[in-house]
Coordinates of all heavy atoms in Angstrom, one line a residue:
K109 N 21.7 6.1 -0.6 CA 21.3 4.9 -1.3 C 20.1 4.9 -2.0 O 20.1 4.6 -3.1 CB 21.4 3.7 -0.3 CG 22.7 3.4 0.2 CD 22.5 1.9 1.0 CE 23.9 1.6 1.6 NZ 23.8 0.5 2.5
T110 N 19.2 5.6 -1.4 CA 17.7 5.7 -2.0 C 18.0 6.7 -3.2 O 17.4 6.5 -4.4 CB 16.9 6.4 -1.1 OG1 16.7 5.5 -0.1 CG2 15.5 6.6 -1.7
I111 N 18.7 7.9 -3.1 CA 19.0 8.8 -4.2 C 19.6 8.0 -5.4 O 19.2 8.2 -6.5 CB 19.9 9.9 -3.6 CG1 19.0 10.8 -2.7 CG2 20.2 10.9 -4.8 CD1 19.9 11.8 -1.9
S112 N 20.6 7.1 -5.1 CA 21.2 6.5 -6.2 C 20.3 5.6 -6.8 O 20.3 5.5 -8.1 CB 22.5 5.6 -5.6 OG 23.1 4.9 -6.4
L113 N 19.5 5.0 -6.1 CA 18.5 4.1 -6.8 C 17.5 4.8 -7.6 O 17.3 4.4 -8.7 CB 17.5 3.4 -5.5 CG 16.4 2.6 -6.2 CD1 16.8 1.4 -7.0 CD2 15.6 2.1 -4.8
I114 N 16.8 6.0 -7.2 CA 16.1 6.8 -7.9 C 16.7 7.2 -9.3 O 16.1 7.2 -10.3 CB 15.6 7.9 -7.2 CG1 14.6 7.4 -6.0 CG2 14.8 8.9 -8.0 CD1 14.2 8.5 -5.1
K115 N 17.9 7.7 -9.2 CA 18.6 8.2 -10.4 C 18.7 7.0 -11.3 O 18.8 7.2 -12.6 CB 20.0 8.6 -10.0 CG 20.0 10.0 -9.4 CD 21.2 10.6 -9.0 CE 21.2 12.0 -8.4 NZ 22.5 12.5 -8.0
T116 N 19.1 5.8 -10.9 CA 19.1 4.6 -11.8 C 17.8 4.3 -12.5 O 17.8 4.0 -13.7 CB 19.7 3.3 -11.0 OG1 21.0 3.6 -10.3 CG2 19.8 2.2 -11.8
L117 N 16.8 4.5 -11.6 CA 15.4 4.1 -12.3 C 15.1 5.0 -13.3 O 14.5 4.7 -14.3 CB 14.4 4.1 -11.0 CG 14.5 3.1 -10.0 CD1 13.5 3.4 -8.9 CD2 14.2 1.7 -10.5
R118 N 15.4 6.4 -13.1 CA 15.2 7.3 -14.2 C 16.1 7.2 -15.3 O 15.5 7.1 -16.5 CB 15.4 8.7 -13.6 CG 14.2 9.3 -12.6 CD 14.5 10.6 -12.1 NE 14.6 11.7 -13.0 CZ 13.5 12.1 -13.6 NH1 12.2 11.8 -13.1 NH2 13.5 13.1 -14.5
R119 N 17.3 6.7 -15.2 CA 18.2 6.5 -16.4 C 17.6 5.2 -17.1 O 17.9 5.1 -18.4 CB 19.6 6.2 -16.0 CG 20.4 7.4 -15.5 CD 21.8 7.2 -15.4 NE 22.2 6.1 -14.4 CZ 22.5 6.5 -13.2 NH1 22.4 7.8 -12.8 NH2 22.7 5.4 -12.2
S120 N 16.9 4.3 -16.3 CA 16.4 3.1 -16.9 C 15.1 3.2 -17.6 O 14.5 2.1 -18.0 CB 16.3 2.0 -15.8 OG 17.5 1.7 -15.3
L178 N 8.5 -1.5 -13.2 CA 9.8 -1.6 -12.3 C 10.4 -3.1 -12.4 O 11.6 -3.2 -12.4 CB 9.2 -1.2 -10.8 CG 10.4 -1.4 -9.8 CD1 11.5 -0.4 -10.1 CD2 9.9 -1.3 -8.4
L181 N 12.4 -4.1 -15.3 CA 13.7 -3.5 -15.5 C 14.8 -4.6 -15.2 O 15.9 -4.5 -15.5 CB 13.9 -2.2 -14.7 CG 13.1 -1.1 -15.1 CD1 13.3 0.0 -14.1 CD2 13.4 -0.7 -16.5
N182 N 14.5 -5.4 -14.2 CA 15.3 -6.6 -13.8 C 16.6 -6.1 -13.1 O 17.7 -6.6 -13.4 CB 15.6 -7.6 -15.0 CG 16.1 -8.9 -14.3 OD1 15.6 -9.4 -13.4 ND2 17.1 -9.5 -15.1
L183 N 16.5 -4.9 -12.4 CA 17.6 -4.5 -11.7 C 18.0 -5.1 -10.4 O 17.1 -5.8 -9.8 CB 17.4 -3.0 -11.5 CG 17.1 -2.0 -12.5 CD1 16.6 -0.6 -12.0 CD2 18.4 -1.8 -13.4
K184 N 19.3 -5.3 -10.1 CA 19.7 -6.0 -8.9 C 20.8 -5.0 -8.3 O 22.0 -5.1 -8.5 CB 20.4 -7.3 -9.4 CG 19.2 -8.2 -9.8 CD 19.8 -9.6 -10.1 CE 18.8 -10.5 -10.7 NZ 19.2 -11.9 -11.0
L185 N 20.3 -4.0 -7.5 CA 21.1 -3.0 -6.9 C 21.4 -3.2 -5.5 O 22.3 -2.5 -4.9 CB 20.4 -1.6 -7.1 CG 20.0 -1.2 -8.6 CD1 19.4 0.0 -8.6 CD2 21.3 -1.2 -9.4
R186 N 20.8 -4.2 -4.8 CA 21.2 -4.6 -3.5 C 21.6 -6.1 -3.5 O 21.2 -6.8 -4.4 CB 20.0 -4.5 -2.7 CG 19.3 -2.9 -2.6 CD 20.1 -2.0 -1.6 NE 19.5 -0.8 -1.5 CZ 19.4 0.1 -2.3 NH1 20.2 0.1 -3.4 NH2 18.8 1.3 -2.0
H187 N 22.3 -6.5 -2.4 CA 22.8 -7.8 -2.3 C 21.7 -8.8 -1.8 O 21.1 -8.3 -0.8 CB 24.0 -8.0 -1.5 CG 24.8 -9.3 -1.7 ND1 24.4 -10.5 -1.1 CD2 25.9 -9.6 -2.6 CE1 25.2 -11.5 -1.4 NE2 26.0 -11.0 -2.4
P188 N 21.4 -9.9 -2.3 CA 20.2 -10.8 -1.6 C 20.4 -11.0 -0.2 O 19.5 -11.2 0.6 CB 20.3 -12.1 -2.4 CG 20.8 -11.6 -3.9 CD 21.8 -10.5 -3.4
D190 N 21.6 -9.0 2.0 CA 21.0 -7.9 2.8 C 19.6 -8.2 3.2 O 19.0 -7.8 4.1 CB 21.2 -6.6 2.0 CG 22.6 -6.1 1.8 OD1 23.5 -6.6 2.6 OD2 22.9 -5.3 0.9
F239 N 15.6 -13.2 -7.4 CA 15.5 -11.9 -6.6 C 16.0 -10.7 -7.7 O 16.9 -10.8 -8.6 CB 16.4 -11.8 -5.5 CG 16.1 -12.6 -4.3 CD1 15.1 -13.5 -4.5 CD2 16.7 -12.4 -3.1 CE1 14.7 -14.3 -3.4 CE2 16.3 -13.2 -1.9 CZ 15.1 -14.2 -2.1
L240 N 15.1 -9.6 -7.5 CA 15.4 -8.4 -8.3 C 14.9 -7.2 -7.4 O 14.4 -7.4 -6.4 CB 14.8 -8.4 -9.6 CG 13.3 -8.7 -9.7 CD1 12.4 -7.5 -9.4 CD2 12.9 -9.3 -11.2
Q241 N 15.3 -6.0 -7.9 CA 15.1 -4.7 -7.1 C 13.5 -4.7 -7.0 O 12.8 -4.5 -8.0 CB 15.8 -3.5 -7.8 CG 15.9 -2.5 -6.6 CD 17.0 -2.9 -5.6 OE1 17.9 -3.6 -5.9 NE2 16.8 -2.4 -4.4
V242 N 13.0 -4.6 -5.8 CA 11.4 -4.4 -5.6 C 11.3 -2.9 -4.8 O 12.4 -2.5 -4.2 CB 10.8 -5.4 -4.9 CG1 11.0 -6.7 -5.6 CG2 11.4 -5.6 -3.4
S274 N 13.4 -0.1 -0.3 CA 13.7 -0.9 -1.5 C 14.7 -2.0 -1.1 O 15.7 -1.8 -0.4 CB 14.2 0.0 -2.7 OG 14.3 -0.8 -3.9
L275 N 14.6 -3.1 -1.7 CA 15.5 -4.3 -1.5 C 15.5 -5.2 -2.7 O 14.6 -4.9 -3.5 CB 15.2 -4.9 -0.2 CG 13.8 -5.9 -0.1 CD1 14.0 -6.8 1.3 CD2 12.7 -4.9 0.1
C276 N 16.4 -6.2 -2.6 CA 16.4 -7.2 -3.8 C 15.6 -8.5 -3.4 O 16.0 -9.1 -2.3 CB 17.9 -7.5 -4.0 SG 18.1 -8.4 -5.6
F277 N 14.4 -8.7 -3.8 CA 13.6 -9.9 -3.3 C 12.8 -10.3 -4.5 O 12.9 -9.8 -5.7 CB 12.7 -9.3 -2.3 CG 12.4 -10.3 -1.2 CD1 11.7 -9.9 0.0 CD2 12.8 -11.6 -1.3 CE1 11.3 -10.8 1.0 CE2 12.4 -12.6 -0.4 CZ 11.7 -12.2 0.8

Side-chain angles (χ1 to χ4, degrees):
K109 289 183 178 180
T110 301
I111 292 167
S112 177
L113 169 63
I114 291 173
K115 288 182 175 180
T116 299
L117 293 176
R118 288 181 62 83
R119 287 195 300 268
S120 301
L178 171 68
L181 297 176
N182 198 31
L183 297 173
K184 299 181 181 182
L185 306 175
R186 303 280 192 273
H187 197 282
D190 291 342
F239 287 11
L240 50 79
Q241 203 69 32
V242 301
S274 182
L275 67 164
C276 194
F277 210 177

